[in-house]
Amino acid sequence: MLYVVHCGTFKSFVMSLNGLIQVTGFQIAGDIVGLDGISTGLHQTDVVALEDTEVFVLPFLQCQQWSRESAYGQRHLMRTLAHEITRNRRHMLALGTTRAEQRMAIFLLDLSQRHERLGHSRFQLVLQMTRKDLGSYLGLTLETVSRQLSRLQRECIIQVQGKSLALLDFAALRRLAGVSSDCSSMTVDSIVDQKGNFLVAKRPT
Amino acid sequence: MLYVVHCGTFKSFVMSLNGLIQVTGFQIAGDIVGLDGISTGLHQTDVVALEDTEVFVLPFLQCQQWSRESAYGQRHLMRTLAHEITRNRRHMLALGTTRAEQRMAIFLLDLSQRHERLGHSRFQLVLQMTRKDLGSYLGLTLETVSRQLSRLQRECIIQVQGKSLALLDFAALRRLAGVSSDCSSMTVDSIVDQKGNFLVAKRPT
DNA sequence: CGCGGAGTTGAGAATAGTCAAAGTCGGTGG
DNA sequence: CCACCGACTTTGACTATTCTCAACTCCGCG
């Protein structure tokens, strides 16, 4: 099953056998839940609603049929999957190369942008997730999350009041995030070498 | 274009506008390169060969056609995409929840396992990537990578000699990795709550 | 009013990063 | 064939960031 979020917020997370949990994303209206199980029927990701929610249910079978019958449907499905992959890549980049403050800034900008795309304010939003969930998503402890938020508030970049949040200084946030927050505009193409060395050594004829 | 690796090793990485680079994976024989551009035709990931390599080229169009014409082809394509997603999720879990030592152990076990699946030794392998690439992949600096390898060697768990590597003590490696290395065996299904709260609040009729 | 979960804050510890120096390896050209 | 060069690696000392543990506060709810 796929689930298309109609309203509300979800968190999705993976769990390892030894009980470790990593939140892999937060889904709001328009997002799709359950992509990872699309072929096997088995989900490796769990999902929990963070507030009252509504979803549309989309059975895999129907999805596959749609994809087979219409070029548009196929294209759309693959685009969605590919988008999920690049989204995850960007998050990995954040987890692997940035510090707590920068990660937080990237997250806030991303959330704001998604809110805006839904027709809501980009300044005023609600953090439905707990600090712990947010920490897990960002690869930080809940204390570090709390401290970062406090710090951003002290510097008058945001204003936090429990779960409600106001973004006061986008310029500062973007500066902290590095330009990297909008790397979605990247269109680097295909198999290219950094230094002009060999790329694809040979192609079998 | 999709590229199926026939022999050799690739690294794939994403680059943010400000020049930060994160290696997102290493591909060996049997792996597929270029999935992220499958629908848009634009790749957000670059790929570089780490040694002499051969690849099979698979145009998107052909791929889509195959998928449309055969249920098996479609299933296979989606399975591949979904697998890529879960693989990335697992890596995110590692990046977000583990320490350097544990990450290194997980990586070594994973590499060994993939080698074995190709019919090679699971004890003896070659790290084609530089320490810097490996560090980038693991979200660590190259110095930390080097130190971790040295430490594992000092404890007689592995033996390193430049790029060639021998795994001496799998039990110890698995212990360090936590059981999490084989979370591929997880079959948790679908939308489930942690505490038995609501899951999907409502389903539109 | 008191309880409990969530959040904040502080102090000290641990982990990983930074900077710097020295060592290794492989390849190139004299 | 050997010396040298550059890229890669190792190691050490020091620093910065983040984690851990713990106390305390805030808020919603019975």
Side-chain angles (χ1 to χ4, degrees):
Chain A
M1 293 289 185
L2 291 180
Y3 302 85
V4 181
V5 180
H6 179 228
C7 70
T9 310
F10 287 87
K11 72 171 175 183
S12 53
F13 57 94
V14 288
M15 203 184 338
S16 69
L17 288 181
N18 44 11
L20 283 182
I21 280 182
Q22 167 91 6
V23 173
T24 55
F26 301 104
Q27 286 78 35
I28 59 179
D31 295 334
I32 296 188
V33 164
L35 283 174
D36 64 316
I38 201 167
S39 73
T40 59
L42 294 173
H43 296 267
Q44 308 215 353
T45 304
D46 285 343
V47 175
V48 176
L50 299 175
E51 54 181 330
D52 287 350
T53 55
E54 292 181 11
V55 300
F56 302 126
V57 179
L58 188 60
F60 285 149
L61 261 181
Q62 187 177 323
C63 198
Q64 284 173 4
Q65 201 170 347
W66 186 43
S67 156
R68 200 154 44 233
E69 286 170 358
S70 115
Y72 172 78
Q74 184 191 32
R75 207 169 178 64
H76 189 73
L77 179 61
M78 296 223 290
R79 189 183 303 261
T80 304
L81 281 166
H83 188 257
E84 177 70 10
I85 291 177
T86 61
R87 212 187 57 75
N88 285 342
R89 293 248 166 98
R90 232 183 321 154
H91 190 213
M92 285 202 288
L93 189 139
L95 286 174
T97 67
T98 67
R99 304 202 183 295
E101 186 181 52
Q102 190 176 1
R103 247 176 261 184
M104 183 60 74
I106 291 173
F107 169 76
L108 293 177
L109 287 173
D110 180 58
L111 196 62
S112 160
Q113 197 178 332
R114 286 161 71 194
H115 246 243
E116 189 179 21
R117 215 175 289 151
L118 292 177
H120 302 131
S121 164
R122 70 189 183 121
F123 301 100
Q124 200 70 40
L125 21 109
V126 178
L127 300 173
Q128 297 292 355
M129 69 292 295
T130 65
R131 302 287 192 264
K132 193 174 165 200
D133 286 336
L134 186 45
S136 170
Y137 176 68
L138 297 174
L140 304 168
T141 58
L142 65 93
E143 292 96 328
T144 301
V145 168
S146 178
R147 272 189 258 269
Q148 291 302 329
L149 288 174
S150 299
R151 191 144 96 89
L152 290 174
Q153 173 156 251
R154 217 176 311 126
E155 292 168 6
C156 298
I157 294 175
I158 66 175
Q159 191 178 334
V160 206
Q161 178 76 259
K163 294 204 175 305
S164 61
L165 177 83
L167 306 188
L168 306 176
D169 187 345
F170 273 79
L173 271 181
R174 285 206 201 83
R175 188 165 32 72
L176 290 177
V179 196
S180 69
S181 72
D182 54 352
C183 72
S184 56
S185 63
M186 272 182 42
T187 53
V188 180
D189 197 359
S190 76
I191 314 275
V192 185
D193 190 328
Q194 293 167 297
K195 303 185 198 167
N197 297 336
F198 54 95
L199 324 156
V200 172
K202 300 186 230 170
R203 295 184 187 186
T205 48
Chain B
M1 292 292 184
L2 290 181
Y3 302 86
V4 182
V5 180
H6 179 227
C7 69
T9 310
F10 288 87
K11 71 171 175 183
S12 53
F13 56 95
V14 288
M15 204 184 338
S16 69
L17 287 181
N18 44 11
L20 283 181
I21 280 182
Q22 166 92 7
V23 173
T24 55
F26 303 103
Q27 285 79 36
I28 59 179
D31 294 335
I32 296 187
V33 164
L35 282 175
D36 63 317
I38 201 167
S39 71
T40 59
L42 295 173
H43 296 267
Q44 309 215 351
T45 304
D46 285 343
V47 176
V48 175
L50 299 175
E51 54 179 330
D52 287 349
T53 56
E54 291 180 10
V55 300
F56 301 127
V57 180
L58 188 60
F60 284 150
L61 261 180
Q62 187 177 323
C63 200
Q64 284 173 4
Q65 201 170 345
W66 186 42
S67 156
R68 201 153 43 234
E69 285 169 359
S70 111
Y72 172 77
Q74 184 191 32
R75 206 167 180 67
H76 190 71
L77 180 61
M78 297 224 287
R79 190 184 304 261
T80 304
L81 282 167
H83 187 257
E84 177 71 11
I85 291 178
T86 62
R87 214 188 54 78
N88 286 340
R89 293 247 167 98
R90 230 180 327 151
H91 190 213
M92 285 201 290
L93 190 139
L95 286 174
T97 67
T98 67
R99 307 210 174 288
E101 187 182 50
Q102 190 176 358
R103 249 176 260 183
M104 182 60 75
I106 291 172
F107 169 77
L108 293 177
L109 286 174
D110 180 57
L111 195 64
S112 160
Q113 196 178 334
R114 287 160 72 194
H115 246 244
E116 189 179 21
R117 216 175 288 149
L118 292 177
H120 303 132
S121 163
R122 67 189 184 121
F123 300 100
Q124 200 71 39
L125 21 111
V126 178
L127 300 173
Q128 297 292 356
M129 69 293 296
T130 65
R131 301 287 191 265
K132 192 174 166 201
D133 286 337
L134 186 44
S136 171
Y137 176 68
L138 296 175
L140 303 167
T141 60
L142 65 93
E143 291 97 330
T144 301
V145 168
S146 178
R147 271 189 258 269
Q148 291 302 329
L149 288 174
S150 299
R151 191 144 95 87
L152 289 175
Q153 174 156 249
R154 216 175 313 128
E155 292 170 3
C156 298
I157 295 174
I158 66 174
Q159 190 177 334
V160 207
Q161 179 76 259
K163 294 206 175 305
S164 61
L165 178 85
L167 305 189
L168 306 176
D169 187 344
F170 273 80
L173 272 181
R174 285 206 201 84
R175 190 165 29 73
L176 290 179
V179 194
S180 70
S181 71
D182 55 351
C183 72
S184 57
S185 63
M186 273 184 38
T187 52
V188 179
D189 197 356
S190 75
I191 315 273
V192 185
D193 188 330
Q194 294 169 297
K195 304 187 198 166
N197 297 336
F198 53 94
L199 324 156
V200 173
K202 299 187 234 171
R203 294 187 186 181
T205 49

